[in-house]
Amino acid sequence: MAKTVRFLAALCALVSLTSGAFAQQRQRSEEPLPGDRKPIQQDARQKREAAPLLYALPDLQSNDVLELELRIVQGKHTYAKQRVTIAPYAPAGATIDVLATHPQELTKLRKLETEKPGSLRFLVAAGERLLADEPFAAVDAGSAKLSLDSAIGSLVSVAIDPAPKTRLQTQGMYRDPECMSWCDMQFNSCMEWCDPRGSDCNLCYTWYNDCSIPCPWVCYDPKSVTTHETRTATSVYTFNSRCHSGFFGNQRWDQVSVTYRVDVWERTTNCDDSYTDRFLYSYNTSQTCWYNTGYSCSFPSGSPGYPRC
């Protein structure tokens, strides 16, 4: 009887030890493969090309639609200007997402501020009423405390003027008309007396070419009018994660679905490379892709799908 009891006790201990080891191994093998996972909505900030620049509205005390003009200036030069309309009874503390559709310009402004601290200022006006005149750095730093969820306003236009430049271009659209008028007059006179039966008239074209070369290229505003699109991530969902084999070993990949708001603009570009984007319309689009989390895992299930994020 005692032998039987000892045998059963040893058997129970072995089963318990084996079950614990199997559970640990199962936990390690299944951790990268979490099974059915509910979609997780991530903060849209994580997918922005540049961190948001948010401006908190004061109490506007208006029951009418207002058009606000937000400007970022360096000295007397206006680098960026954004116009938005605000619905009546806008609550105090609501935010304006500044240059959200032009993240590359926002990045350049932050670089300018880093190179020359205190050189940029942030101004907001509603008609003749000045709502804000603050250092750009202060508004930028305060953005981290504000919420994208409270952003309001409808875009009207965005104007960018990187730096004032001369209108005269080394390569432009037209030769200087005043200079070319003299060449035209000489050419017409030459064609009147040249003998078309010989090679005299060929000299007229040669002289005309020689005359026009020194004439400078000039550009007339606007240099061009084009349309383009900008994309802003509005929501990000992470779905099931899988352990896949890859070139650098076994790694965990997340399947991600990103929804974008696509804004369509009409861009008018001037000779000095300043431009104004006039908002036309917007539409939504989405993309599902595979994102490498960078974490290693075991028991791969093959290669991740396409497209890759």
Side-chain angles (χ1 to χ4, degrees), residues 56-100:
L57 289 172
D59 187 0
L60 297 174
Q61 298 181 351
S62 174
N63 56 1
D64 296 320
V65 175
L66 288 179
E67 182 171 294
L68 303 185
E69 183 179 271
L70 301 93
R71 291 189 295 146
I72 300 171
V73 302
Q74 186 176 38
K76 295 182 178 180
H77 175 64
T78 299
Y79 184 104
K81 180 168 62 178
Q82 176 174 318
R83 293 166 56 213
V84 298
T85 55
I86 304 297
Y89 307 107
T95 56
I96 303 296
D97 200 351
V98 185
L99 295 180

Side-chain angles (χ1 to χ4, degrees), residues 173-214:
M173 303 302 295
Y174 305 98
R175 293 285 189 181
D176 182 6
E178 293 185 6
C179 179
M180 289 300 295
S181 64
W182 169 256
C183 299
D184 292 338
M185 184 177 65
Q186 296 297 316
F187 175 76
N188 292 332
S189 176
C190 179
M191 292 296 289
E192 288 178 359
W193 61 258
C194 71
D195 186 353
R197 294 171 297 179
S199 59
D200 290 350
C201 291
N202 291 336
L203 285 175
C204 298
Y205 289 96
T206 301
W207 292 342
Y208 180 78
N209 182 67
D210 293 341
C211 176
S212 62
I213 288 176

Side-chain angles (χ1 to χ4, degrees), residues 91-108:
T95 56
I96 303 296
D97 200 351
V98 185
L99 295 180
T101 54
H102 292 64
Q104 71 282 1
E105 302 298 348
L106 194 51
T107 300
K108 292 177 184 178

